[in-house]
Amino acid sequence: MPGIVIIGTQWGDEGKGKIVDLLARDAAMVVRFQGGNNAGHTIVRDGEEFKFHLIPSGILHPGKTCVIGNGVVVDPSVLIGELDGLRRRRVDVGGLRLSANAHLIMPYHVMLDTAGEAKLGKLEIGTTKRGIGPCYADKSARLGIRVQDLLDPKILRKKIAAALEPKQQLLRPFARDPKLDLHAMTEEYLSYGHRLEPHIADTSRLCWDALDSDQTVLFEGAQAAMLDLDHGTYPFVTSSNPIAGAACVGAGVGPTDIDEVWGVCKAYATRVGAGPFPSELTDEVGVHLRDRGHEFGTTTGRERRCGWLDLVALRYATRLNRLSTLAITKLDVLSGLDPLRVAVRYRGSEGAVFEEFPYHQSILHSAKPEYEDYPGWEGDISGCRSEADLPAEARDYLAAISDNVGVAVGVIGVGPGREQVISTGVRAG
Ligand code: IMP
């Protein structure tokens, strides 16, 4: 003990990597439990930028065990590319462990993702086209290929053949793609197996051992609550469960192993891809947020949609995750905006008021946010290192968020750098 889960409370890109990086200082292990290389975490260390898609952000701390848990879907070529990139930059990757039970993203998953989006046309989800949805679909259909299969050539070939067969029709447009050749694919994946073998382990057991010997284990979420397959803005969601409860399933630990749940929330809101976003701003304030906040996707480079902070959605995420602590990131991006607005409720198209996040998709699609305004502040706050350094208006803004959702703020981000954080000292258990 303790186990600490860190999750996104919005639509992803909240800066979870930075908070994981901060909390990892006191942890023995960092575990990713869902998602795949649709995620992108950027960490700036001593002015040097690191981007991760699969490897847990904790890898930048020497001596930590970093786990890719069974709930993650792994594109082995991406993982090997990340390992090689880190090695080139002299980062020790010896502590990386990969669950033998994690599922593999195969070339046909990526093709199916692309083909599926094309077929949806205007109704497309705006996926990252990394094969995430089709890989999780195969996992549920029991046609998945797992990391452990890489170590057995006969089984690997058999399983790939079985998984490919039902997809022939759907994959017709790619029929001539050499990547779909059974023999070539098996050989390619066997070579990945050779590279990854030293990292493959029973990672649930590793978590057990660490928790049992009173070491701190961080469970690092990817994406965020509003993209949750069950609780998010379905179907405009990802294909895994990025909420805290999924940490147990995706890492192989029990619910009583979790002691704290940190929710990471940007001081405003962003979303990439399609789907409802009630507090979206299409005016110059939205552009200001995008430009000041560098709101372009780490994974796909897409422009992020920007808007005011949505407390209806944040209260919903607080409930789904039973947050113990909030980390508010990118507060510095709001400098110079006045007033600052936060959505506190929605009004439906027929005038009904929604204090709670509406469960019906049609309501959400047409819901208009109602705002409360707070005075903004001038000047650069990126050098602030304590709450007392912040302008009174910034402190009031944070207090309003915390009061509204009933969760204390533990960390405030005021810039991209590793050191650009304020710890409030609050550790609600
Ligand atoms: P998929 O996860 O690639 O299937 O994409 C499904 C939806 O989740 C799309 O709207 C993506 O833009 C979104 N999404 C997936 N991963 C992330 C992420 O790490 N940050 C933000 N949005 C994401």
Side-chain angles (χ1 to χ4, degrees), residues 331-399:
L331 187 66
D332 53 305
V333 174
L334 296 184
S335 296
L337 288 174
D338 193 14
L340 298 173
R341 316 196 81 189
V342 290
V344 289
R345 68 185 78 81
Y346 302 149
R347 195 166 290 270
S349 54
E350 287 168 15
V353 169
F354 294 89
E355 302 281 347
E356 297 274 328
F357 199 74
Y359 70 81
H360 205 292
Q361 200 191 345
S362 314
I363 293 172
L364 191 60
H365 274 279
S366 57
K368 295 274 173 284
E370 293 191 348
Y371 293 105
E372 271 174 14
D373 289 357
Y374 291 88
W377 58 87
E378 286 295 333
D380 181 12
I381 61 166
S382 63
C384 297
R385 292 295 175 269
S386 77
E387 280 182 284
D389 294 342
L390 289 171
E393 293 83 358
R395 277 182 272 137
D396 290 347
Y397 182 73
L398 294 170

Side-chain angles (χ1 to χ4, degrees), residues 98-132:
L98 170 62
S99 168
N101 288 353
H103 280 247
L104 293 169
I105 296 183
M106 308 297 291
Y108 46 84
H109 292 138
V110 180
M111 292 173 188
L112 288 170
D113 201 353
T114 307
E117 285 285 88
K119 213 167 172 193
L120 282 171
K122 274 192 182 155
L123 298 176
E124 70 164 11
I125 293 160
T127 74
T128 58
K129 299 200 175 88
R130 300 295 192 264
I132 307 297

Side-chain angles (χ1 to χ4, degrees), residues 7 32 80 99 125 148-149 153 256 278 330 342 364 393 413 420 426:
I7 53 95
R32 268 212 47 197
I80 289 168
S99 168
I125 293 160
Q148 58 186 274
D149 299 326
T256 49
K330 297 183 109 168
V342 290
L364 191 60
E393 293 83 358
Q420 288 178 303
V426 172

